[in-house]
Amino acid sequence: MNQMKNPIKKLSSTLLTSLLLAPTLATAVNMASIAGLATQPALAATAKKSAAKSGKTAAPVKAKAPVKAKAPAIPAPGDLASSGLAVPAPNMPVEPWRKNKPAVPAPRPFQLPKVSTYTMDNGLVVETVEDHRFPFVTLYLGFHSGTSQEPQDMIGLSSMTSDLLTEGTKTKTSKQIAEAVDFIGGALGASSDFDYTLVSGSALSDYGDRLVSLMSDVVLNPSFPQEELDLNKTNLIQELTMKRSDPNFLVQERFSKVVFGSHPYSVVAPNETSINRISQKDLIDYHAKTYIPNNAFMIIVGDFNPDKMKDLISKNFGSQWKQGKVETATMPATPNQDGRKIYLVDRPGSVQTAIKVGNIGIQRKDPNYFPLLVMNQILGGAANARLFLNIREAKGYTYGAYSRMSARKEKGSFSAEASVRTDVTAPSLQEFLYELERIRNVKVTDAEITSAKNYLAGSFQLGLETQGGLAQRLLEAKLYNLPDNYLETYADKVMAVSVDDVRASARNLIDTKNLVITAVGDAKKIKQDLELFAPVSVYDTQGKLAGEEKPKSVN
């Protein structure tokens, strides 16, 4: 067996060496010269040692003159043609078809796979989609409750509950859960957002039954071990300390507090006091009130037998999972912004300024959602958008400038942002204000709107090709009570947006006269310049107002 391995190994090594040396003759000559020069001293030293042992005088090894590498000759076009390489000769006319870019076809009609929906006796809504292309199954369990529903004196309770869901049950430790997930070749996790909580899992289809059983165990029987809770608290506090040194976190925190006021959407992260206040009993009580079947919906996509899957769901999420009272919190109104104001977080010594400009946004179910989606894509949705081309490409003030629109159950926010050099803080803000006014008042070009619509429609349909992507979109439709044909009509609604729709939607969304402008940077260097645009209030990195008077719109 060993005799068989060596020739193969030697042959493989020879082939590899040949491939590496093959590109050009000049390269081969250079490599040979370098190899010769490198080995000659070694050969001389070896000969000298051998002679010393034998008592004889070794003949000196003469060094060969290095071979001078010649530049590779570039054959004429005719020579290349004769060698079989098709290279056009100089001054050859370019084919007419190369003058025009390929036309982008219209998005293909999307046919949603058959979705089977049923409601269990305990109120759990289940949607299943069969996809037998791959031996895999994906399962999402969503709850209509998120961080905006948690008690205001226990900020972080919702996220901590979801984080610890997979860290232990009444019968399994966190290690045993992790090993079980690894065995089925899948994943299992939980997270909490403003509007919802999500438990997601995936596995090879042969282990679909184990996936359902495992998810049922962590959802219905979490134990919230004290040692895991203590570790989670420690990690969160350390994480929060690190975030306080991050300009992007600080600018987002100040922006959210100004735009949303006392609304739960204003909370970007819990504070240390709130984290330490949460006990194991608080987690158990919150779980009992929130993780109930009549507050949930399940999405199953993948390779499974529908009858067997229905039996599995009934067995694991059926009669043993009892209904409860769904509690909904009354959301406070967001503050009205009176005039343009600047909120500056002082970060001494900062070499950059993080800028975020915007105002209150829209709900996900708003009828203007699709025109605004296209508008945002043109303004700052990608590297070919206006903000990027202006502030980065034309001015060179930043690595990237973008705009974002977050549409939620309640009104979200619209913002444009970038991190710029300290010395160009004021010119950068000027360009932001210019672009926001331009998108409101000047019609976008046909090329801009066509590019934006093709990208949005195409990327949406591409995302539906994976199990996870389809499950996420079905989840989105359930969360925000969107129409049943939402996925099938998405591309059509995007492509139907007109130039006039973009301008009208921009005027409705972007309130340039009452903009919230937040910045994080060295106040000594930038405050005076910022005051040319609007009144400036200064905060420290802990969120405390440095001035005597606190703006009415800030909590």
Side-chain angles (χ1 to χ4, degrees), residues 145-148 158-159 162 191-198 408 480:
S145 298
T147 59
S148 60
S158 177
S159 296
S162 60
S191 61
S192 188
D193 200 355
F194 285 112
D195 296 327
Y196 62 89
T197 296
L198 176 65
R408 302 168 182 159
Y480 300 113

Side-chain angles (χ1 to χ4, degrees), residues 109-384:
F110 173 69
Q111 183 63 45
L112 180 68
K114 181 182 177 182
V115 180
S116 299
T117 306
Y118 63 93
T119 303
M120 298 176 63
D121 293 339
N122 59 7
L124 176 64
V125 178
V126 182
E127 285 190 352
T128 62
V129 179
E130 293 182 58
D131 180 4
H132 300 288
R133 293 175 299 171
F134 310 103
F136 210 66
V137 61
T138 300
L139 196 156
Y140 281 10
L141 180 62
F143 296 88
H144 291 282
S145 298
T147 59
S148 60
Q149 301 286 330
E150 63 191 4
Q152 292 303 299
D153 61 340
M154 288 190 184
I155 301 300
L157 178 61
S158 177
S159 296
M160 197 173 293
T161 302
S162 60
D163 289 344
L164 294 177
L165 210 63
T166 58
E167 296 301 328
T169 68
K170 295 176 182 177
T171 58
K172 294 182 180 68
T173 64
S174 59
K175 182 180 178 181
Q176 290 172 329
I177 293 172
E179 289 174 345
V181 172
D182 287 343
F183 182 82
I184 63 178
L188 181 65
S191 61
S192 188
D193 200 355
F194 285 112
D195 296 327
Y196 62 89
T197 296
L198 176 65
V199 184
S200 60
S202 59
L204 296 170
S205 52
D206 285 346
Y207 300 107
D209 54 343
R210 297 194 185 191
L211 172 64
V212 174
S213 176
L214 193 58
M215 182 177 286
S216 172
D217 193 24
V218 300
V219 172
L220 274 60
N221 307 305
S223 59
F224 304 112
Q226 185 63 50
E227 62 272 18
E228 297 290 351
L229 173 58
D230 295 338
L231 178 60
N232 187 270
K233 285 183 177 183
T234 301
N235 290 340
L236 280 176
I237 292 172
Q238 291 178 349
E239 208 174 287
L240 185 62
T241 302
M242 294 177 63
K243 285 180 177 179
R244 291 252 155 248
S245 64
D246 182 0
N248 295 316
F249 170 81
L250 294 173
V251 77
Q252 177 62 49
E253 180 184 55
R254 181 50 43 196
F255 179 84
S256 295
K257 286 186 178 297
V258 176
V259 170
F260 294 110
S262 58
H263 193 284
Y265 287 173
S266 68
V267 179
V268 176
N271 55 49
E272 185 173 346
T273 302
S274 179
I275 293 171
N276 286 325
R277 185 182 291 128
I278 298 172
S279 68
Q280 185 185 49
K281 184 179 183 303
D282 294 326
L283 297 176
I284 294 172
D285 292 343
Y286 180 79
H287 173 267
K289 293 177 181 178
T290 305
Y291 289 71
I292 52 179
N294 50 316
N295 188 41
F297 51 93
M298 182 176 287
I299 309 291
I300 308 170
V301 180
D303 179 31
F304 57 85
N305 180 290
D307 294 331
K308 290 183 179 179
M309 181 58 70
K310 190 171 184 177
D311 290 340
L312 278 172
I313 299 302
S314 178
K315 177 183 177 182
N316 290 278
F317 293 94
S319 57
Q320 72 273 39
W321 198 12
K322 304 299 181 182
Q323 287 190 3
K325 181 181 178 181
V326 179
E327 297 182 0
T328 55
T330 302
M331 299 294 175
T334 54
N336 293 321
Q337 305 302 326
D338 183 16
R340 186 184 294 174
K341 296 177 183 177
I342 298 177
Y343 303 85
L344 171 60
V345 179
D346 184 19
R347 190 170 180 267
S350 181
V351 297
Q352 286 189 327
T353 301
I355 301 174
K356 197 177 189 74
V357 182
N359 48 247
I360 198 72
I362 63 169
Q363 291 178 281
R364 180 59 185 84
K365 61 183 180 181
D366 192 297
N368 290 318
Y369 175 78
F370 287 99
L372 288 171
L373 194 66
V374 176
M375 182 279 297
N376 181 72
Q377 185 65 27
I378 295 171
L379 176 64
N384 65 339

